[in-house]
Each structure stands twice: as structure tokens, then as C-alpha cells.
Amino acid sequence: MTLQYTFIATFLYIEIAVVILLLLPFVSPARWQKIFRSNIVLSVSGYSYIYFNVFIAILLLLFIDSIREVNKYAVPVAEVDLKHNLDSENLAHMKLFRAQRNLYITGFAMFLWFIIRRLINLTAEQARLSAESEASQKQAKSANDVAKRLMEEQDNKRNKAAEDDTAEEKSLAQQLDKTKEELVKFKQDYKKAKLDLDALRSQAEGTNKEYDRLLKEYSELQASTTDHPVTIVPNKIG
């Protein structure tokens, strides 16, 4: 394995480890959000767009080169005389195997690079929505407690003294109405946050389906490259 493919293989192993870490169930999105907002990560993430495009360009070039190598060594294997050139046939198969191995390594490395970026974005978005939902729940609970306390105080005052000042009762009633309005508003905010969280979950399920579809297409592409020459037109990465 040449130096560049050794580097890509090492990079692929690191990508697999990162994906496994991001999928660990006992690490909450809020904790990942704290890690993403740490000083070290923020100092690096400022140039993340450049890093992403540079790695994609390198992986794409190596992927195209590996396809060229597969097409290069696939033809001589069919032309080898198995009776008189056994060594040549074994050498051709070895070169073809190496070329296919390099193709798989670069292809999966490029594919996982997109998956990691998507997972990080979804994790950060889920952490943000979870924080907003938790804050709305706390505000709604606090407003509900205040409303109950005011209602209890009002009932006690009515039961103990019928001659309480009507102006004070009116003020309490106005404050209670205001608190109820705030409670309704907080409940609406909570429902909105919950809907956003459900939408995020639906988006995550759609991403998983898209991942399965891309993986199937990629497998079909791999199968076709071993039998027919493939011309790769690089897409503009944005």
C-alpha cells in the first residue's frame, strides 16, 4: 500500500471511530454541544469549511485514481494464458486486488466524511431544541405554580374575611389573569418546541433512509466498476 492510501486508510479508521462515538447512546446531545462549543473546537471549526473541501478534493482525486487503476488491471486478467503464464496471472490478480482495495478505502472514506458532517449538524440541532424545550417546560411549570399559589391565596382570603378590600381582590384577579395568559403562552411555546423536536426526529429518519439508499447505490457502483470502465465527473462541492 502506497503512502497516500496508507494515509487514507488511517483516516478511514479515524472516521469509523468518530461515527461510533457520535452514535453512543449514553452520550447526550447536550454534552456533545458542550464539546462542540469548547475553545479548542471553536478555534478549529472556524476553518471547518476549508478543511471539508480540501479533504473532499483529496479523496475525490484518489478515488478517481483508484478507479483508473481498477480499469487498468482488469483487462490484463482476462487476457492471461492460465496454462503458460501462471505467475503473470497471479501478479495481475494481485494488482487488481490492490486497486480494488484502494477503491473501497477511498470510497468509504469519502462517504463517511459526509456522514460525519451530517451527524454533527443533527446532534447540534437536537441539543438546541432540547434546551429550548426544557426551558419552556420550566417556565410553564413556574407559571403554573404561581397561578396555583395565587388561586389558593385568593380562596383563603375569601373564606376568612368576607369584608376584604375589593380593590385588592381586583388587583389579585388581574394578576391572576395575566399569569394565566403567560401560562397559555408558555404552553404554546412548549408545543412549538415539541413540534420542532418531532420534525428533527422525522428529518433524522429521512437521513437514515437516504443513507441506506446512497449505500445501495454505492454498492451497485462498486459492482459495476469491476466489469465496465467508469468515468467519474467530479461534482462541485459546496
Side-chain angles (χ1 to χ4, degrees):
M1 184 181 292
T2 57
L3 181 61
Q4 63 268 27
Y5 289 109
T6 302
F7 170 76
I8 296 302
T10 304
F11 184 70
L12 176 62
Y13 299 148
I14 296 175
E15 286 180 322
I16 294 174
V18 171
V19 171
I20 293 175
L21 288 176
L22 290 173
L23 295 179
L24 290 177
F26 54 84
V27 182
S28 63
R31 180 165 296 182
W32 280 120
Q33 185 74 344
K34 291 180 181 179
I35 296 175
F36 297 154
R37 291 182 177 179
S38 62
N39 294 331
I40 298 176
V41 176
L42 288 177
S43 62
V44 177
S45 62
Y47 303 94
S48 59
Y49 183 79
I50 298 176
Y51 299 153
F52 180 81
N53 289 335
V54 169
F55 274 114
I56 285 298
I58 294 174
L59 292 173
L60 186 60
L61 289 176
L62 292 176
F63 183 73
I64 295 174
D65 181 69
S66 61
I67 293 178
R68 182 186 62 82
E69 291 294 324
V70 169
N71 294 331
K72 176 181 176 181
Y73 294 116
V75 176
V77 171
E79 298 177 354
V80 170
D81 187 354
L82 299 179
K83 294 182 179 179
H84 303 92
N85 297 286
L86 295 179
D87 293 337
S88 299
E89 189 265 347
N90 291 333
L91 181 61
H93 275 294
M94 181 183 67
K95 291 181 178 180
L96 179 60
F97 169 77
R98 289 180 178 176
Q100 290 174 342
R101 177 199 60 192
N102 296 335
L103 175 66
Y104 299 148
I105 290 174
T106 53
F108 276 110
M110 183 168 56
F111 184 69
L112 284 180
W113 189 237
F114 286 101
I115 294 300
I116 289 174
R117 184 182 185 185
R118 184 60 175 169
L119 282 175
I120 292 176
N121 291 335
L122 288 177
T123 302
E125 184 67 15
Q126 184 179 1
R128 184 185 66 82
L129 291 177
S130 298
E132 292 179 356
S133 177
E134 184 177 357
S136 298
Q137 289 179 354
K138 290 181 178 179
Q139 291 177 353
K141 184 178 179 180
S142 177
N144 191 27
D145 293 339
V146 171
K148 288 181 179 180
R149 180 175 58 81
L150 291 175
M151 291 177 67
E152 290 176 356
E153 291 178 356
Q154 188 176 11
D155 291 338
N156 292 332
K157 288 182 179 181
R158 287 178 179 177
N159 293 332
K160 290 180 180 180
E163 63 275 6
D164 286 344
D165 188 50
T166 56
E168 184 178 359
E169 292 180 355
K170 183 177 180 181
S171 177
L172 289 174
Q174 292 177 352
Q175 186 177 2
L176 179 60
D177 293 337
K178 183 178 179 181
T179 304
K180 288 181 178 179
E181 292 178 358
E182 293 177 355
L183 177 61
V184 172
K185 183 179 179 181
F186 290 148
K187 288 183 177 179
Q188 292 177 352
D189 294 339
Y190 169 72
K191 291 181 180 179
K192 182 179 179 182
K194 187 175 180 182
L195 291 175
D196 292 339
L197 184 59
D198 293 338
L200 178 61
R201 290 175 178 172
S202 301
Q203 186 179 5
E205 293 176 359
T207 302
N208 290 333
K209 293 180 181 179
E210 183 67 13
Y211 170 83
D212 294 336
R213 185 183 67 80
L214 291 174
L215 184 60
K216 182 178 179 181
E217 292 180 359
Y218 181 72
S219 299
E220 293 175 356
L221 176 61
Q222 288 178 338
S224 62
T225 54
T226 58
D227 298 328
H228 303 284
V230 178
T231 301
I232 300 297
V233 179
N235 295 325
K236 182 176 179 182
I237 306 299

